[in-house]
Every structure is written in C-alpha cells, then in structure tokens.
Amino acid sequence: MTGPLSIATRLTKPWSDGAGPITPPIQQTSLFAFDDYAAFEARMMGASDEPLYTRVQNPTVAAFESMMADLEGGAAAVAFASGMGAISATLLALALARPGARVACVEHVYPDAYRLLERVLRPMGVEVSYHSPEAFAEDAELLRGVDVAYLESPTSMVLDVIDLPRAAAHARRHGTMTVLDNSWATPVHQRPIESGIDVVVHSASKYISGHSDTVAGVVVGTAEVVGKIRDLTLPLLGAKLAPFEAWLLVRGLRTLVPRMRMHEATANLFVDRLARRPEVTRVRSPGPNATPGLTGRSGLLSIELAEGIDIPRLADGLKHFRLGVSWGGFESLIVPAAITLKQSGEKNAPQRFGVSPRLVRLSLGLEDAEDLWADLAAALEVAAA
Ligand SMILES: *Cc1c(COP(=O)(O)O)cnc(C)c1O
C-alpha cells in the first residue's frame, strides 16, 4: 500500500515530468496570441481555456496555484498580488450570496482584515459580528443565519487557537461558509480543509515566500468558490499576481518544509527558555496539540514583558532582531504592540486587537538559534536594568 507522497517530496517535484526545465518558465507577457480565427473565437466563447490575458490567467501563476491547491488539499487555488487581495476578493465574492449577508469574524483578527470588514463591507450593507475563538467551537447556534465565518487560528498578535473540526461541523449544519487565514501555520503545520474548513487564504508574503522579497496572496478551496472568485472578484477588482512574483513563490515553496522545521526548532528553544526568564510574564506560542489539527509550532510568537522592562531599550539593544512589520522571512524581527496600536488609528485598539502594550511579537528567522537567544537574553538584561 502506498499513501500520498509527503509534502516535502511533492514540493520538490521538478516542473517537467520528463526532459525539460525543472522550474516553470517565467511567462512575462500581458497577452497570449492565437493562431487563427477559430481558436480565438473558441477561447472568447469559453469553449477552450487557453491563456488569454495575464490579469485573468498566466501559466507561471498557474504553476504556483496548482502547488498551493495540492499542498492545502483543495480542489483549486487562485493567486493574488497580496494577502489582502486574496482576503478581500474572497469576502466580497461570498458576500454576494445575498444582500445584507452576515459575516461572523473571530476576535483579534489581522487589523487590515478588520478594517476591510468595518470600512468596506459594513458600509455596503454586510452585517458583521465578532466572537471569541471558543464561541465558534462551543456555541452550536452561533452561526445560525450566518453566511460566512471568517477565522484565523491562531489569531493575530495574541495567537489564540480555534478548534477547527468542531467549528467547521457547526458551520456545515448551518450552511455557513468557513474561511480560514492559514498564514501562521502553513500547510506544513495545519491543513484546515482536512478539518472541514471550506476556504483557506494566505498572505504568501510570509512563510510561503519565506525570503521577504515578495508581496502575494492565495485562496484555496472548492471548485465552486474558487470559480466564483476567478469569474468575478479576481478579474474585476484586478489584484492579480504577476508572473515573476509567482516564480519567486514557487522557488520559496521548494524549501518550505525545511524552513518551517528550522523555525520550529528555534521557537521550541525560545519557548522553553523564555518560560524561565523573570522579565517575561507570558509566552504566546501555540504548538502541536494546542488544538486539533495543529501539528507544529511556527516561528512567530508573542511575549508579554513584566512592568519595568523598557521596551524601546529592549528593541534598541538587539543586534539580530530588526524592527519591522511583516514576518515569516529568513530574518528575525521584533514588533512592539504599543506602536502598532498607535498606528492602527482604531479607537479601543487594545480591546479590539486583544493586545496589551506590554506585548512584543517576535518573528524568529533562520539565523542560528543560539546566536538569536544570546541576542535576546542580553537585550532583556539591558532593558531590565
Ligand atoms: C500580513 C498578513 C495578511 C495580509 O497579507 P499581505 O500580503 O500583507 O496583504 C493577512 N493575514 C495575516 C495573518 C497577515 O499576517
């Protein structure tokens, strides 16, 4: 008996089956020409699916999309010029279900997803409500009459987890579409579609790219949902991924498994040692078994610092951790929540995003774990003095 090949083997499969290039060619073209009238007419009438125009489809982008569909175990995937392009195209496509559609969102969601719901969808007549991660699993009636559940597990900054199989089962019963942002775990550590989630979205700018050189997004789901996005919100809103970016993402995916393993090993070392530091009151870093279906720990974690620890001095005392937004690249980063709260411009931002001003987010990169730890330990001592 042979099971499906492991993710690492599938991701490193050469692009050509036989003789030929092992990476997909970059088809850097806006349009595709046709040989004759009949072929052009067939394409325009939808009788063939030859590439026509890069905003609609491009073979290099399609190579990335098919790798992502396979990785997440979905029927189809569609790529975008950013994670927000993927999220907005998905939510807008699903909100078309009916006028006054209802969206139930998990609390402490990525701030720009929150702004999309509040500043774009709500003014268009979409009803939006927010609920704790536990409510999606425990309240069997929460999703009655709800069209879309928009989820992150773990959530942004505070990294709370949702029991996805239970949440998905409740959603099924109520006919609610579930959408989950899987950027933190990646399919290496969590495969939400196997837990019953309908649609997975990613900021591919993070671990999927892995090299901090690309902004991109992708949606994976059923043929029906992806088809609707492909027909409407991808071409009409136009946030299409460019061919060169798609090629970079395919290159990033080749090393996703070893990168995620190294991020995990470093994070395990940090979680273990941070728990014993007097400067740190809490470590937020969900790992295997934190919730059903989560099989690993990623390199993005948050810590809460004791009163008296000077956060600007901590940040300035670090050598290897740079100050910067985003995460999931080769380089280690630190983000003090206090700054992002000021920048968000939202009233009640601490409650809305669940973030305390003592919270600091770390993205552990691919540097040597002991070098990184020595850097943080030394800076914590400076910040406590
Ligand atoms: C960064 C991020 C996004 C947005 O992705 P972009 O590629 O920056 O548009 C969405 N969700 C999460 C959890 C993120 O961290």
Side-chain angles (χ1 to χ4, degrees):
M1 225 179 77
T2 54
L5 288 173
S6 74
I7 288 180
T9 306
R10 276 151 41 210
L11 282 178
T12 48
K13 184 178 174 296
W15 183 73
S16 314
D17 280 330
I22 59 168
T23 65
I26 306 173
Q27 303 210 11
Q28 187 73 26
T29 181
S30 60
L31 66 99
F32 299 81
F34 289 77
D35 248 359
D36 53 40
Y37 188 96
F40 188 44
E41 186 180 42
R43 174 60 186 85
M44 297 306 282
M45 302 306 288
S48 89
D49 61 1
E50 291 299 301
L52 173 74
Y53 187 54
T54 282
R55 170 157 55 77
V56 179
Q57 68 201 131
N58 174 285
T60 315
V61 178
F64 169 63
E65 290 168 339
S66 68
M67 285 174 88
M68 284 305 304
D70 172 58
L71 255 187
E72 287 285 9
V78 54
F80 287 86
S82 69
M84 283 312 300
I87 293 166
S88 58
T90 301
L91 286 175
L92 285 162
L94 296 176
L96 292 172
R98 61 187 178 91
R102 286 177 60 191
V103 177
C105 179
V106 69
E107 277 172 351
H108 310 156
V109 75
Y110 180 67
D112 278 345
Y114 170 76
R115 280 189 279 268
L116 171 71
L117 290 167
E118 291 299 313
R119 308 270 177 90
V120 179
L121 285 146
R122 194 189 287 281
M124 289 169 58
V126 173
E127 265 185 58
V128 186
S129 57
Y130 298 88
H131 310 276
S132 69
E134 298 76 40
F136 284 93
E138 280 158 26
D139 182 350
E141 292 308 302
L142 180 76
L143 297 177
R144 181 175 298 283
V146 170
D147 300 277
V148 183
Y150 185 76
L151 308 173
E152 291 177 0
S153 182
T155 56
S156 289
M157 294 301 262
V158 290
L159 306 174
D160 290 330
V161 292
I162 301 176
D163 182 330
L164 295 183
R166 284 185 70 197
H170 296 320
R172 283 272 140 99
R173 241 185 344 268
H174 294 296
T176 307
M177 289 295 287
T178 44
V179 180
L180 181 105
D181 183 329
N182 201 30
S183 309
W184 182 93
T186 83
V188 174
H189 291 326
Q190 176 168 268
R191 294 165 46 88
I193 291 173
E194 287 175 2
S195 293
I197 295 293
D198 297 303
V199 181
V200 169
V201 293
H202 277 277
S203 169
S205 322
K206 315 292 166 52
Y207 286 126
I208 301 291
S209 147
H211 292 74
S212 304
D213 52 10
T214 315
V215 172
V218 64
V219 182
V220 186
T222 60
E224 193 193 337
V225 172
V226 171
K228 191 166 183 182
I229 295 169
R230 255 189 207 294
D231 283 349
L232 292 173
T233 49
L234 168 68
L236 302 183
L237 301 178
K240 176 73 181 183
L241 185 66
F244 180 60
E245 311 300 303
W247 185 89
L248 285 171
L249 292 166
V250 169
R251 184 161 100 150
L253 280 178
R254 301 294 194 193
T255 58
L256 180 66
V257 172
R259 284 190 286 108
M260 292 310 287
R261 286 192 187 136
M262 187 162 173
H263 289 301
E264 176 169 45
T266 302
N268 285 341
L269 182 145
F270 268 62
V271 167
D272 190 47
R273 295 186 187 174
L274 283 166
R276 287 182 265 130
R277 292 296 303 207
E279 304 92 338
V280 177
T281 55
R282 182 161 180 188
V283 182
R284 295 170 178 271
S285 173
N289 308 323
T291 191
L294 183 62
T295 59
R297 190 188 297 283
S298 93
L300 187 73
L301 54 92
S302 292
I303 57 178
E304 282 169 35
L305 295 165
E307 291 300 329
I309 305 299
D310 188 302
I311 295 177
R313 277 175 66 197
L314 169 70
D316 289 341
L318 290 163
K319 264 199 329 263
H320 300 306
F321 288 85
R322 314 294 297 272
L323 278 157
V325 297
S326 195
W327 48 273
F330 56 87
E331 79 292 11
S332 290
L333 294 168
I334 178 169
V335 173
I339 292 183
T340 60
L341 292 179
K342 278 186 211 145
Q343 172 262 338
S344 83
E346 293 294 337
K347 280 194 226 99
N348 307 323
Q351 295 89 315
R352 182 52 76 197
F353 304 120
V355 166
S356 124
R358 306 300 307 160
L359 184 140
V360 162
R361 190 182 73 185
L362 301 175
S363 177
L364 304 173
L366 299 174
E367 304 90 339
D368 178 79
E370 293 292 352
D371 287 345
L372 280 182
W373 175 256
D375 192 23
L376 183 65
L380 280 172
E381 268 153 40
V382 171

